[in-house]
Amino acid sequence: MSNYVDCLIIGGGPAGLTAAVYLARFRRRVVLIDGGWSRAEWITLSHNLSGFPQGIAGHEYREHLGEQARLYGCTAEKGYVHTLIRTDEGGFVAEMDGRTISAQTVILATGVVENKPPVPHLADAVKRGLIRTCPICDGYESRDKRIAVLGNGPHAAAEAMFLRTYSSKLALLLVGDVVLPTSTFDRLVQAGIKVMAIGAETIEMREHGVAAFYAADGQTHNFDVVYTAFGTTSQTKLARSLGARMDEAGRLFVSEHQETSVPGFYAAGDLVRGLNQISVANGEAAIAATAVHNALPMDPAS
Ligand SMILES: Cc1cc2nc3c(=O)[nH]c(=O)nc-3n(C[C@H](O)[C@H](O)[C@H](O)COP(=O)(O)OP(=O)(O)OC[C@H]3O[C@@H](n4cnc5c(N)ncnc54)[C@H](O)[C@@H]3O)c2cc1C
């Protein structure tokens, strides 16, 4: 394949791989470059992905998508795109380690990265389901459990309120100097949510749960699961370098066809403003890939 492609997809999570499947089936010359750590790899077993009533592990789901893309001739290549520039002709040149790729269009699907919560043995605790990050994904599986939300701002309070649908045994553990607005605090108390300011170092992983020491009452409180709410960091370095429009949190604004404010530069998945969910990533990727195909010159079958 020549080094000039119809579309370069950057990122090989659900969004990038879905875009690859679509574009490969549109018979476009497409290359997908992936840095290697999709957020989906953290998912032990997802129960809210349509079509998988028994649930599916994140890595398994990605493997299925990768296999589907390969079937139509697009193999995800391991690598990291360091820079992306727009040419005078309206195309793009991406630079990886010792290699460049020229593309007519780009779909950015680089996702977001979880801001790490200050808890011990994090990776192991996430795998064991003790530490969770996404109430929309698995709040249902936490119903009637003793739940804590650990965070450092109003976002954590909102997550605690969201989880009230699933359990009455809820606490909000705040670390750092956080002062909640009185109205927020009152709503939490009315909902029966205990608010505790704790030191992050007091969190302890146990065999079947998580413990936190609350100095104000001198007690150790035990929870079955802890949701962490420290936010995410969008992987938008490349988009920023092209001057694409984004909000204060670094989430990209896109058109109804998933095109950013830079012509020919599309985006899909978690790094776009909206809900961080696989179904959303897939849907946005389908829209972006179809828009890319329709925007490129036709290549009729002979
Ligand atoms: C613990 C956990 C549980 C979750 N559970 C669920 C669930 O049950 N249901 C659900 O719908 N969602 C769930 N999610 C959210 C889901 O994982 C994300 O919404 C989804 O992975 C987003 O897909 P994406 O393709 O946008 O980004 P990602 O999957 O994060 O993929 C982005 C990819 O881009 C690559 N990349 C970044 N920068 C570059 C670069 N410069 N060059 C090359 N590659 C690059 C990264 O290496 C990564 O592989 C969960 C998330 C977590 C953390």
Side-chain angles (χ1 to χ4, degrees):
M1 183 183 281
S2 88
N3 238 9
Y4 190 85
V5 293
D6 293 322
C7 185
L8 167 66
I9 300 168
I10 308 175
L17 288 167
T18 300
V21 170
Y22 272 70
L23 281 162
R25 286 176 53 83
F26 292 146
R27 308 179 76 186
R28 292 297 182 178
R29 287 169 302 161
V30 52
V31 165
L32 186 155
I33 304 295
D34 182 44
W37 193 253
S38 156
R39 255 180 113 223
E41 296 289 331
W42 286 94
I43 309 173
T44 316
L45 196 66
S46 171
H47 290 280
N48 74 347
L49 200 49
S50 323
F52 296 96
Q54 308 307 323
I56 184 162
H59 73 88
E60 199 186 337
Y61 182 68
R62 271 189 80 225
E63 276 164 26
H64 284 319
L65 283 176
E67 187 187 335
Q68 198 173 356
R70 275 195 301 280
L71 203 62
Y72 300 104
C74 178
T75 301
E77 295 178 36
K78 266 242 172 329
Y80 194 85
V81 176
H82 295 286
T83 59
L84 185 64
I85 55 166
R86 192 148 187 268
T87 64
D88 293 341
E89 294 76 39
F92 300 85
V93 178
E95 182 266 322
M96 299 160 55
D97 297 305
R99 178 181 170 198
T100 59
I101 299 175
S102 300
Q104 189 60 47
T105 58
V106 171
I107 296 179
L108 192 70
T110 43
V112 301
V113 171
E114 220 74 36
N115 295 335
K116 296 257 181 313
V119 298
H121 315 298
L122 178 62
D124 180 56
V126 172
K127 286 216 169 73
R128 289 165 61 204
L130 298 180
I131 296 286
R132 301 181 178 197
T133 59
C134 174
I136 292 173
C137 306
D138 51 27
Y140 186 86
E141 278 66 43
S142 301
R143 60 197 187 283
D144 297 327
K145 292 191 170 162
R146 295 170 299 172
I147 305 175
V149 175
L150 177 70
N152 56 359
H155 173 62
E159 278 203 5
M161 286 302 289
F162 180 89
L163 281 159
R164 187 65 182 80
T165 299
Y166 299 107
S167 178
S168 58
K169 292 163 267 180
L170 255 167
L172 173 61
L173 309 180
L174 292 172
V175 295
D177 292 328
V178 190
V179 182
L180 292 178
T182 312
S183 58
T184 305
F185 185 83
D186 290 347
R187 279 186 69 219
L188 290 162
V189 172
Q190 271 162 27
I193 299 170
K194 196 170 167 63
V195 181
M196 302 184 236
I198 62 153
E201 71 288 349
T202 70
I203 300 276
E204 199 189 311
M205 297 303 149
R206 301 244 168 114
E207 198 182 339
H208 297 294
V210 182
F213 178 71
Y214 181 39
D217 67 7
Q219 307 271 320
T220 294
H221 296 256
N222 295 299
F223 304 98
D224 301 309
V225 290
V226 171
Y227 282 82
T228 61
F230 289 87
T232 55
T233 303
S234 298
Q235 301 304 290
T236 45
K237 188 184 96 174
L238 300 172
R240 213 175 279 281
S241 73
L242 291 178
R245 189 170 162 245
M246 55 188 81
D247 68 13
E248 278 170 15
R251 310 282 294 268
L252 282 163
F253 284 96
V254 291
S255 72
E256 60 183 318
H257 297 298
Q258 298 297 131
E259 193 170 24
T260 69
S261 59
V262 179
F265 184 54
Y266 296 74
D270 283 359
L271 86 166
V272 174
R273 297 171 82 244
L275 203 57
N276 290 358
Q277 290 285 284
I278 292 173
S279 303
V280 176
N282 291 350
E284 289 179 352
I287 293 170
T290 307
V292 162
H293 175 63
N294 288 335
L296 288 166
M298 250 186 95
D299 188 9
S302 45

